[in-house]
Structures are given as structure tokens and as C-alpha cells.
Amino acid sequence: MPQTPLAGNRNDNNRNAKRRTGRARWLVPAAATTALAATGGLLLWSPAGAAENDGIGRAAFSAVAVGDIAEQCTKSDSKCAHPKTAALVQQLNPDFVMTMGDNQYDDARLKDFQKYYATTWGAFKNKTKPVPGNHETYDPAGALKGYKSYFGSVAYPDGKSYYSFDKDNWHFIALDSNSFDDRAQIDWLKRDLAANGKKCVAAYFHHPLFSSGEHGNNPVSKPVWKLLQGAKTELVLGGHDHHYERFAPQNANGDADASNGIVEVIAGTGGANPYKIEEVQPHSQKRITNTYGVVKFDFADDGFSWKLIGTDGSTKDSSPAYSCR
């Protein structure tokens, strides 16, 4: 299977420092008010008081999601962030962890995974569900070689770099956006979506379709987004840009669609050097940079919500609650 590195500078880590109804899924609690938040030098609007799981019932399980994680540094370096995000995950103790690529910098060689990622995020390797990013393709031993060697069958359960799994009423799809031009992955995705019997669907991959960060929008994801939306996917997670961002539901063309659109969340805050906000995209609801942390999702049988939690333990953003379609 071809592995072609996609958008992004080869050394981008070194930058300077979305059966069901058509009802709207954005369920802001009645008590919520609007608030202005100044973040990353930008004046932003965000819903305030969006209490965890308001409107979606009791949480069935939790998961942590983040990408762009292990720089080549260790806990002995006070500026090293991935030991701190790993400690946060251990404290949160989610049911499982989703990593959205660029797990290990710079070239994601096996020896680098062993020296850096394994010493921090390796503590919960047994419940991590990873996907590769562009840095995993830079391995001199071959694209994804170190990634595959380190994660093993967890990342390649069927001998492929993409897979799916179920948890309660949710179906999760882990994709390799380095090879969205590979027909085999697209055909597999179509079969997987057709066979799914769960009410709620989430997908995650490295290169986001929409981003206000330095890499910006990545059209390589557009055909996949269309397939996911056609199958009533609720949520798409991405990394690549080293900031946090959440979007209102939208379709693959970037049109707002509160009833049928997909909610996108970018969380490239796992430990790599933060990126700037470059061009704010339509339907972007919140953007935070210069912050390390992880996104904690609470999944119910009929919906979801999340919080961005910083390494200082504070909540940096709380999402609205969404219902599944």
C-alpha cells in the first residue's frame, strides 16, 4: 500500500517556536449564556455553561484524544511537554485513548518510540488506539515501519494501517490520512460504514479537512468526509496543526449544517511545539494555541460532549452537548 507524505513541511515540528432523525444536534443547555473569550490573541465567542453531558443523558464511557505528541525530549527537561500530557491522561484514566498521528517526532523511528514515547505515553499503550501522521512516514527504515513495530497489531489489527472498533452504542473508525489516495482504504471504509450497526459514529485521522492553523485546510480528506457524512457520522477528530479548535457541524464543502453536518475537533496539543492561528475558517467556534493538554470525551448512548483539559488540570474549553442522529 502506498504511503505518500501529505501537506506539511518535512520539519514542521520545528516551527518557531461529525436510523436517525434530522433534528439539530447542538444541544446547548437552557441556562447557557454567551461569553467572550480572548484566546491566542483572538477575540472569540463560545457557549458558556455547557455542562458535561447536559442534554445527552448519562455518560456511558470516556476517552481521551490528542495528536502531535512526543518530541525528542524527556522528563528531565522542564520544557518537555509530553511527560506532562501523559501524566494528565493517567490521572483522567479514560476507557481508551485515541492518538491522531505524529505520535513520535521527528522521523518516528522505532528507537525514538522506545526512547521517548514509550517512557511517557507508553504507560497506557494497552488501551491506545493510534493512527499515523505524516511524521510516521519519514522513518528511514520505511514509511510507518517504526510506528508498526512499536504499536504492533493494535495499529495493524488486520494487517492494514486503518481499522474500526465498537464501544457500547458507538462505532469508531481509525483512518490513515497519509494514504487517502489508496483505493483499498476507501473501499474498506465503504464496506465498514455499510456494515455498521451502531447508532453513533466517530472517525479520526491526522490531516483535518478544516483548520485555522498554520497548515490550514487539507482537501485530501474531502472525499472521506463525504462518505462519513453520508453514513451519518457525528464526529471527526484530527491533529497536524498544533493547536486546539472546534467547529460547528458542517458538510464537506464547508457549509453549515446543524442537522446533518459533522462536528470536527482538532487537538494537536499532545506535546509538539504550538502553531499559530493563521486564517480563521468559517464555522470555527473556538481556537486555543500555546496550550498543551488533551481532550476528554464523554460518550453517552445517544450523544457526546468534551472538554479540553490543560496540563495544569484546568478546563480550557467545554463543548456544547451533541446528540447522535
Side-chain angles (χ1 to χ4, degrees):
M1 178 179 66
Q3 301 289 346
T4 305
L6 295 176
N9 187 320
R10 168 63 180 75
N11 294 314
D12 58 3
N13 62 296
N14 291 322
R15 296 194 184 195
N16 211 353
K18 146 134 58 74
R19 301 182 287 284
R20 309 151 174 151
T21 69
R23 62 194 174 105
R25 287 139 54 231
W26 186 357
L27 304 178
V28 181
T33 59
T34 60
L36 288 173
T39 307
L42 300 171
L43 191 63
L44 309 175
W45 177 88
S46 66
E52 188 172 356
N53 296 312
D54 276 354
I56 64 168
R58 188 173 181 178
F61 61 93
S62 68
V64 157
V66 77
D68 307 276
I69 300 171
E71 292 275 17
Q72 292 187 11
C73 59
T74 63
K75 190 175 181 178
S76 61
D77 180 352
S78 62
K79 294 182 180 180
C80 191
H82 67 92
K84 300 172 185 177
T85 56
L88 179 58
V89 176
Q90 287 212 314
Q91 180 182 352
L92 294 171
N93 192 27
D95 290 86
F96 59 91
V97 173
M98 295 176 283
T99 65
M100 284 91 75
D102 285 3
N103 303 274
Q104 176 62 59
Y105 288 90
D106 286 342
D107 299 331
R109 298 170 296 183
L110 178 58
K111 65 180 182 180
D112 294 328
F113 269 105
Q114 293 169 335
K115 185 175 181 179
Y116 304 108
Y117 185 99
T119 63
T120 58
W121 282 69
F124 31 88
K125 178 181 176 181
N126 62 342
K127 61 179 179 181
T128 296
K129 305 288 188 180
V131 295
N134 51 295
H135 277 266
E136 275 80 11
T137 69
Y138 301 155
D139 187 347
L144 308 189
K145 291 291 187 180
Y147 168 81
K148 182 178 180 179
S149 296
Y150 178 73
F151 285 110
S153 62
V154 173
Y156 278 72
D158 296 308
K160 304 176 182 67
S161 57
Y162 44 88
Y163 56 95
S164 64
F165 59 95
D166 294 331
K167 176 69 174 174
D168 292 352
N169 209 28
W170 280 82
H171 183 62
F172 294 89
I173 307 171
L175 297 171
D176 180 1
S177 57
N178 295 295
S179 57
F180 276 168
D181 59 349
D182 177 18
R183 193 70 216 175
Q185 181 172 195
I186 301 304
D187 289 344
W188 173 90
L189 177 59
K190 291 177 179 178
R191 294 193 300 270
D192 183 83
L193 290 169
N196 172 51
K198 301 296 184 178
K199 180 179 182 180
C200 306
V201 181
Y204 58 106
F205 45 85
H206 186 62
H207 300 84
L209 179 55
F210 305 105
S211 174
S212 300
E214 293 187 24
H215 286 309
N217 296 348
N218 201 313
V220 70
S221 307
K222 190 171 184 177
V224 169
W225 190 288
K226 289 181 177 180
L227 290 174
L228 293 170
Q229 183 175 345
K232 303 187 187 303
T233 297
E234 322 296 342
L235 172 68
V236 165
L237 309 176
H240 199 42
D241 266 327
H242 302 175
H243 73 282
Y244 165 84
E245 187 167 14
R246 59 174 164 89
F247 290 82
Q250 57 188 321
N251 64 27
N253 295 320
D255 302 320
D257 190 342
S259 298
N260 300 302
I262 301 178
V263 174
E264 184 189 68
V265 179
I266 298 173
T269 57
N273 290 333
Y275 287 177
K276 296 179 295 184
I277 300 300
E278 291 279 359
E279 183 177 353
V280 177
Q281 297 300 306
H283 319 305
S284 173
Q285 293 183 320
K286 188 73 175 273
R287 302 162 299 280
I288 300 175
T289 189
N290 295 318
T291 294
Y292 296 111
V294 302
V295 179
K296 178 182 179 289
F297 282 89
D298 287 299
F299 294 101
D301 282 343
D302 57 354
F304 62 101
S305 65
W306 70 89
K307 292 180 178 180
L308 171 65
I309 304 175
T311 52
D312 62 358
S314 68
T315 297
K316 307 299 184 181
D317 183 44
S318 294
S319 78
Y322 290 93
S323 64
C324 297
R325 288 179 279 158

